[in-house]
Amino acid sequence: MKIRAIILESLYELSKRPYRKFVKRSRPWTVTLPELLTYPQTSLGFHLACFLLAHSFEMQPKLESHDVFHVLTGIGTSVPEEIGMQYYLLGNGKRSLYLYTVVLMGSLFYPDHLGSFHRAYVRGKSALPFHQLDFSKLLQQPLTRIQSTFLIL
């Protein structure tokens, strides 16, 4: 793994708990991963469970929507892709100090990816705003319906 990825992943790990505790105002979801697996196979919830299992991730309280963004957009989980996700969300209208910090640090650490970051921003801008939705209430909805409604893909 390259040193720039190690540095950014370390910064993420250091900031995750304080961000969740002091910044995130949302409530943790009450649904569990095993419950998501019982949802219809076409649903956002089922696809979220599959995403989590495929990447050996656990649901992180108050941060669940981040993984939903990956499911909805199809953006991967490598460090440059995570930065690209923040560019996508910036284009979609999301604004936060954390997002700005990731975009700035990512741009400085990955100048060779600025083209893909710009493309992610444009994709986010072309989608209807969805970053603010309460996805816990949409878990039973078909994934493709949400994607087509908000012009995500």
Side-chain angles (χ1 to χ4, degrees), residues 97-135:
L97 178 60
Y98 201 83
L99 179 142
Y100 291 134
T101 302
V102 171
V103 165
L104 175 64
M105 296 293 291
S107 299
L108 292 174
F109 277 72
Y110 286 90
D112 51 319
H113 288 262
L114 288 175
S116 65
F117 296 160
H118 180 262
R119 286 188 294 280
Y121 174 83
V122 170
R123 278 185 61 209
K125 198 150 184 66
S126 68
L128 297 175
F130 66 90
H131 64 89
Q132 76 293 354
L133 296 175
D134 181 351
F135 294 108

Side-chain angles (χ1 to χ4, degrees), residues 12 37 49 53 56 68-69 80 85 95 97 118:
Y12 168 72
L37 288 169
L53 290 171
S56 300
V68 170
F69 295 143
M85 170 72 73
R95 302 291 184 263
L97 178 60
H118 180 262

Side-chain angles (χ1 to χ4, degrees), residues 37-97:
L37 288 169
T38 67
Y39 284 25
Q41 290 185 1
T42 59
S43 71
L44 173 61
F46 183 81
H47 282 269
L48 175 59
C50 292
F51 171 83
L52 294 168
L53 290 171
H55 295 284
S56 300
F57 292 161
E58 295 179 11
M59 291 180 71
Q60 297 182 52
K62 295 186 174 183
L63 303 177
E64 299 92 348
S65 61
H66 179 81
D67 292 321
V68 170
F69 295 143
H70 283 287
V71 172
L72 290 172
T73 64
I75 295 174
T77 61
S78 70
V79 172
E81 290 169 323
E82 290 285 357
I83 297 163
M85 170 72 73
Q86 297 306 312
Y87 268 92
Y88 186 106
L89 294 171
L90 180 66
N92 196 247
K94 184 173 183 183
R95 302 291 184 263
S96 73
L97 178 60

